[in-house]
């Protein structure tokens, strides 16, 4: 158990809908990272927050947004969902530096029908 | 230039054999190279990591070999066991930076 929790575990929704994925980092970790894992794209970095502020952006679509709250939990919002958004979404947390070990949560499997 | 190329895509090894997974990168600014192990239904977990000031790092049965001039690094799993069957990802990043670039993963199966 990495200490990172993600909810929900599974999510099934329809095209055009909006969903919110939630992540709670390990106790004491200030950084939260979001990744998308699909069969054809591998593990893609989406966005990082550090202590409430956006720190880095990767291949995140404009339809996706994230935030980190004062209690350090983070939410990833996916809107206008398309079939191609079906994937595993992972959250990871780490300490101050990216080279601190990133601890991954168990993921949320999103299925868009 | 941000890509990390990983091979093979899948690998079958006999129990007790050596599993070798290779990665290559282009961005010479990368100076942190971790390997992650992922079991079905779980998130990736850090296995071992290396910085380019050393050419090899060993932790138990797992060894990273690093070739800075060739911009390549590899994971060797000695005495491979069925419990090692998982997907392995290499990654690369810049110390002090904020993102890791992952390879596409290698599905390893260790057969009895």
């Amino acid at each position: 158990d990495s200490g990172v929790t993600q909810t929900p575990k599974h999510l099934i929704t329809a095209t055009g809908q909006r969903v919110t994925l939630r992540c709670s980092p390990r106790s004491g970790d200030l950084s939260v990272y979001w990744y998308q894992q699909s069969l054809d794209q591998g593990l893609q970095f989406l966005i990082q927050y550090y202590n409430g502020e956006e720190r880095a952006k990767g291949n995140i679509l404009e339809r996706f947004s994230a935030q980190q709250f004062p209690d350090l939990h983070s939410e990833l919002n996916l809107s206008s969902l398309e079939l191609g958004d079906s994937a595993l979404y992972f959250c990871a947390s780490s300490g101050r530096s990216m080279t601190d070990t990133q601890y991954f949560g168990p993921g949320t499997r999103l299925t868009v029908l | 230039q941000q890509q990390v190329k990983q091979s093979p895509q899948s690998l079958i090894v006999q129990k007790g054999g050596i599993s070798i997974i290779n990665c290559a990168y282009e961005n010479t600014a990368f100076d942190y190279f971790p390997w992650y192990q992922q079991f079905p239904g779980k998130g990736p977990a850090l296995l071992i990591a290396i910085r380019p000031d050393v050419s090899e790092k060993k932790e138990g049965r797992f060894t990273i070999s690093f070739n800075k001039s060739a911009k390549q690094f590899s994971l060797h799993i000695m005495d491979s066991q069925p419990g090692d069957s998982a997907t392995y990802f290499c990654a690369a990043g810049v110390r002090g930076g904020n993102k890791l670039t992952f390879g596409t993963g290698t599905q390893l199966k260790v057969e009895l």
Side-chain angles (χ1 to χ4, degrees):
Chain A
D1 184 359
S2 67
V4 178
T5 60
Q6 287 187 250
T7 56
K9 193 168 183 180
H10 301 279
L11 199 49
I12 301 174
T13 188
T15 55
Q17 295 298 305
R18 172 188 170 96
V19 296
T20 297
L21 313 183
R22 183 187 168 103
C23 168
S24 293
R26 290 188 328 146
S27 177
D29 282 355
L30 298 178
S31 278
V32 169
Y33 307 78
W34 285 98
Y35 292 87
Q36 180 191 58
Q37 185 177 39
S38 55
L39 284 175
D40 58 344
Q41 294 289 323
L43 204 60
Q44 297 285 317
F45 167 72
L46 295 177
I47 197 164
Q48 182 212 0
Y49 277 81
Y50 176 80
N51 202 21
E53 295 199 1
E54 182 184 305
R55 182 63 67 90
K57 246 180 178 175
N59 302 319
I60 188 165
L61 300 172
E62 283 191 12
R63 300 183 286 110
F64 296 180
S65 65
Q67 53 184 326
Q68 186 178 28
F69 294 86
D71 67 352
L72 300 178
H73 91 271
S74 178
E75 292 181 356
L76 179 67
N77 300 296
L78 315 176
S79 62
S80 303
L81 285 167
E82 302 176 359
L83 295 177
D85 297 328
S86 295
L88 267 168
Y89 290 85
F90 287 104
C91 164
S93 74
S94 75
R96 188 179 193 88
S97 167
M98 179 274 297
T99 51
D100 290 343
T101 299
Q102 290 189 28
Y103 293 89
F104 281 74
T108 293
R109 181 172 292 282
L110 173 66
T111 303
V112 182
L113 300 175
Chain B
Q1 197 168 20
Q2 292 294 318
Q3 278 188 321
V4 176
K5 295 182 181 177
Q6 183 172 347
S7 64
Q9 190 173 0
S10 62
L11 182 60
I12 299 175
V13 172
Q14 296 299 308
K15 182 182 175 207
I18 302 173
S19 304
I20 301 174
I21 304 170
N22 300 300
C23 285
Y25 63 97
E26 297 171 357
N27 186 348
T28 54
F30 286 149
D31 59 1
Y32 172 65
F33 303 92
W35 284 88
Y36 280 80
Q37 179 188 54
Q38 184 179 25
F39 292 105
K42 303 286 186 184
L46 180 68
L47 189 62
I48 186 173
I50 197 169
R51 297 205 164 106
D53 50 348
V54 296
S55 60
E56 187 175 281
K57 182 174 181 179
K58 184 175 180 180
E59 287 185 4
R61 296 183 295 108
F62 300 91
T63 299
I64 300 179
S65 297
F66 184 79
N67 185 330
K68 188 174 181 178
S69 60
K71 291 185 283 186
Q72 294 175 347
F73 57 111
S74 60
L75 176 69
H76 295 234
I77 306 174
M78 312 300 287
D79 187 26
S80 298
Q81 299 296 313
D84 297 330
S85 298
T87 300
Y88 293 82
F89 293 92
C90 62
V94 177
R95 268 181 292 179
N98 301 97
K99 102 179 202 182
L100 289 175
T101 300
F102 282 82
T104 49
T106 296
Q107 273 194 312
L108 170 66
K109 184 176 179 181
V110 181
E111 292 184 336
L112 292 168

